[in-house]
Amino acid sequence: MKDPRIRIAVLLALSLGGTLAIPPQSQAAVVIGQFFNPGTDVPDSGTITDTQTLQLELSNISDISVTLSISGRGDNGGYNGELVATLDFAGKQAVLLNRVGRSTSDPVNLSGYSDSGGFLGVSFADSALDDIHTYQDTYGVPNPGDPVSFAAFQPDGRLTSDAGPDGVDINTPRNGMLSQFLGESAAGAWSLAIQDTTSADTLHRLDSWGIVAIGETGTGISVFTDGTLIATVDGCETFHNQVTFLGTTHFQNADKLTFAGPVTLAADTTLDVAFAPVHLKGNLTEVTAGTKLTKLGFGDLVLEASSVASHTGRTKVEEGTLVVDGQITSSHTYVEYYGALAGNGTVAKVTLNGGVLAPGNPDNNAAIGKLTSGDQKWNAGSLIDLELNNATGVAGTGWDLVAIVGTLTLCGDSSNPTYIGWSTADICGCPLLAQNFDPNQNRSWTIVTTTGGIIGFHANEFVVDTTYFQNDTPNGQWALVNTDPNTLAITYTVVPEPASVAGAIGAVLLGWGLLRRIRRTNA
């Protein structure tokens, strides 16, 4: 049986902008949060409504929370106790606020709480511990101008239609909870209404609000607007439908999340992958030519589509790893200092701005591999991360290979060299002794091939780092060499130990002495 505390922790963490650590459970689901910033004033003794249409393939909602920010405005601010906030969807209504603090049995609070700071980042969920209607009992009495901030409460839930003759009260039945929406599909129009119930020359502003829901994926179209949060709960999850990205989407999934259908970039898009990998299997297209794609976060973004030629805007890896196991044939990829480009696929032009280039993909048991590209440029301070599995094997399967259809331009600096990380690993990427490696034999491994040549090679602008090379190399020296106009290779050269050199010299001298004695005897 599932622990509902897991789900409510997920909802509240996302609503309040936190990060997730979700233990594995028995049934997978997906969490989607979308947030809005109307910035609309609530007129004194008036009402405003903000309606947002969600295009989300998220059915059978099993949990939901709402986050809300309302600021008090004017010389005195707006009294929190005069506000009513309702959320309407699918012909049902949940009551988030209903004149908080109002109690007809308490003369002090006949009109509700008089503090005026509003509500900043308050999250509402049925399973929270405390009722927002009496927040001063648990939250304390704030300074009059300070908002109730970044806290989680149960919604008020008291419908005006259920109030007694004296109006809403702590004892009014709570028939307007968020559970009204369980079992629904998230797609459709959600309307948030904020009402100022008194005329007191005080103002409020609806700054922002948002919905975070847990449900099941389906087959319709999902549109992820700027600021969308997505996470998995209780296991891996797959969207089989078509998805469209608009702006920045934050992935905080604890388990693998896969988009199996077509992916459309409707505007410049940032995918922020914090933890577990996100896989894009469908073809990647853009509405407008030149749309940009940026990778943030230290989780992996894996592009598996066989062809994403219609993505023509630049691709930038700011953080974490972009794994290309398919093809990006028309986008120039830039890899920044905290970013990495990996995979066994094909990319167009590549520029390393201090970032990492790492052929292969350990996530699919293919850590040793070949990454193919168009022209490449390696700027100073970049890292080429390569692994050796079989010293007598073939480039691309025995060890990593960068295959460039075009030119490689090297813009190095001896004071800020480019590092060649040269380590040993099995085909899955786990540290392991390389097969068939003889520390007493000179060898060379081709790591880069080009069709257009290598420009600007200077050996003193590179460092071969063998910190994670597991095999014993007591008498060898490593180097990066430009073996011919189109090739870079790592070489291993055996250097005799000083004692062996002395022994060899002694043998030569002994032989010379014997030769002299023989000549004297025969004279």
Side-chain angles (χ1 to χ4, degrees):
M1 182 177 180
K2 291 181 179 297
D3 185 344
R5 294 172 297 179
I6 300 299
R7 290 175 169 267
I8 200 62
V10 172
L11 291 169
L12 296 182
L14 282 171
S15 296
L16 299 174
T19 56
L20 306 180
I22 309 170
Q25 297 292 306
S26 58
Q27 182 180 345
V30 68
V31 187
I32 300 180
Q34 292 198 335
F35 304 90
F36 320 104
N37 301 283
T40 304
D41 288 339
V42 181
D44 193 30
S45 193
T47 302
I48 62 165
T49 300
D50 186 64
T51 300
Q52 301 288 341
T53 299
L54 273 59
Q55 299 181 63
L56 294 177
E57 185 58 24
L58 187 70
S59 62
N60 193 25
I61 294 174
S62 58
D63 272 308
I64 186 170
S65 70
V66 176
T67 186
L68 184 64
S69 287
I70 300 175
S71 55
R73 299 179 59 78
D75 293 338
N76 298 319
Y79 295 129
N80 291 352
E82 63 184 5
L83 291 176
V84 174
T86 58
L87 181 64
D88 288 82
F89 176 71
K92 302 171 183 178
Q93 184 178 83
V95 179
L96 306 179
L97 301 171
N98 196 342
R99 286 162 282 188
V100 291
R102 178 175 170 81
S103 174
T104 56
S105 61
D106 182 356
V108 176
N109 289 318
L110 285 174
S111 300
Y113 291 146
S114 61
D115 47 305
S116 57
F119 303 88
L120 175 61
V122 172
S123 184
F124 298 92
D126 288 2
S127 299
L129 294 177
D130 301 307
D131 179 359
I132 188 68
H133 196 85
T134 55
Y135 69 75
Q136 286 191 1
D137 292 347
T138 53
Y139 188 82
V141 180
N143 292 325
D146 292 341
V148 180
S149 57
F150 300 107
F153 291 97
Q154 299 168 11
D156 195 300
R158 296 165 178 85
L159 296 169
T160 301
S161 58
D162 291 333
D166 296 321
V168 68
D169 183 81
I170 185 65
N171 295 315
T172 299
R174 302 176 70 189
N175 295 319
M177 304 296 281
L178 290 168
S179 58
Q180 298 282 313
F181 307 127
L182 300 187
E184 298 287 344
S185 170
W190 296 75
S191 295
L192 177 71
I194 307 295
Q195 179 186 5
D196 182 332
T197 60
T198 63
S199 178
D201 295 325
T202 59
L203 297 174
H204 302 85
R205 170 174 287 182
L206 173 59
D207 297 310
S208 63
W209 67 286
I211 298 169
V212 180
I214 297 178
E216 301 171 358
T217 62
T219 57
I221 297 176
S222 290
V223 177
F224 302 124
T225 56
D226 187 44
T228 296
L229 288 169
I230 303 178
T232 53
V233 183
D234 308 336
C236 301
E237 186 58 81
T238 298
F239 283 85
H240 295 280
N241 56 309
Q242 178 179 337
V243 300
T244 297
F245 291 106
L246 283 165
T248 298
T249 297
H250 303 276
F251 295 94
Q252 296 191 347
N253 40 297
D255 299 285
K256 176 181 174 181
L257 179 61
T258 300
F259 293 90
V263 176
T264 300
L265 308 182
D268 288 348
T269 296
T270 296
L271 302 182
D272 180 6
V273 184
F275 304 117
V278 173
H279 289 244
L280 304 184
K281 287 181 174 289
N283 191 36
L284 184 65
T285 62
E286 54 193 29
V287 174
T288 304
T291 298
K292 300 173 183 177
L293 174 63
T294 301
K295 162 71 174 69
L296 289 179
F298 290 97
D300 292 351
L301 175 63
V302 184
L303 300 184
E304 300 181 39
S306 58
S307 176
V308 287
S310 58
H311 169 43
T312 60
R314 70 107 178 100
T315 299
K316 181 181 284 188
V317 189
E318 293 273 7
E319 296 172 338
T321 303
L322 173 65
V323 181
V324 180
D325 278 346
Q327 297 183 33
I328 305 179
T329 55
S330 303
S331 174
H332 190 154
T333 300
Y334 296 83
V335 187
E336 306 303 314
Y337 185 80
Y338 291 107
L341 173 63
N344 291 301
T346 300
V347 293
K349 291 183 178 181
V350 175
T351 296
L352 300 183
N353 292 321
V356 179
L357 184 65
N361 178 10
D363 288 340
N364 65 359
N365 298 325
I368 306 296
K370 179 175 76 171
L371 184 65
T372 304
S373 79
D375 294 342
Q376 289 201 22
K377 181 180 180 181
W378 299 355
N379 287 316
S382 299
L383 168 63
I384 315 304
D385 190 10
L386 305 170
E387 294 170 321
L388 172 68
N389 171 253
N390 185 350
T392 60
V394 177
T397 57
W399 61 90
D400 288 330
L401 175 66
V402 180
I404 299 174
V405 182
T407 60
L408 170 60
T409 301
L410 304 172
C411 299
D413 184 340
S414 58
S415 63
N416 184 23
T418 295
Y419 280 80
I420 308 296
W422 185 237
S423 59
T424 55
D426 64 11
I427 60 172
C428 298
C430 299
L432 191 71
L433 293 176
Q435 305 173 50
N436 302 317
F437 179 81
D438 184 352
N440 299 310
Q441 181 180 352
N442 296 341
R443 282 205 61 89
S444 175
W445 297 270
T446 296
I447 61 167
V448 176
T449 61
T450 72
T451 61
I454 297 171
I455 303 168
F457 177 79
H458 301 284
N460 67 338
E461 295 174 350
F462 291 88
V463 172
V464 178
D465 183 359
T466 58
T467 301
Y468 299 102
F469 197 91
Q470 302 289 315
N471 293 70
D472 190 22
T473 58
N475 304 322
Q477 291 184 344
W478 298 97
L480 179 70
V481 297
N482 190 185
T483 52
D484 62 53
N486 289 309
T487 305
L488 290 180
I490 290 177
T491 62
Y492 175 80
T493 305
V494 179
V495 178
E497 294 183 352
S500 299
V501 173
I505 295 173
V508 170
L509 292 176
L510 177 59
W512 177 248
L514 289 173
L515 179 59
R516 290 185 64 188
R517 289 180 63 186
I518 291 171
R519 285 181 177 177
R520 283 183 179 179
T521 302
N522 294 333

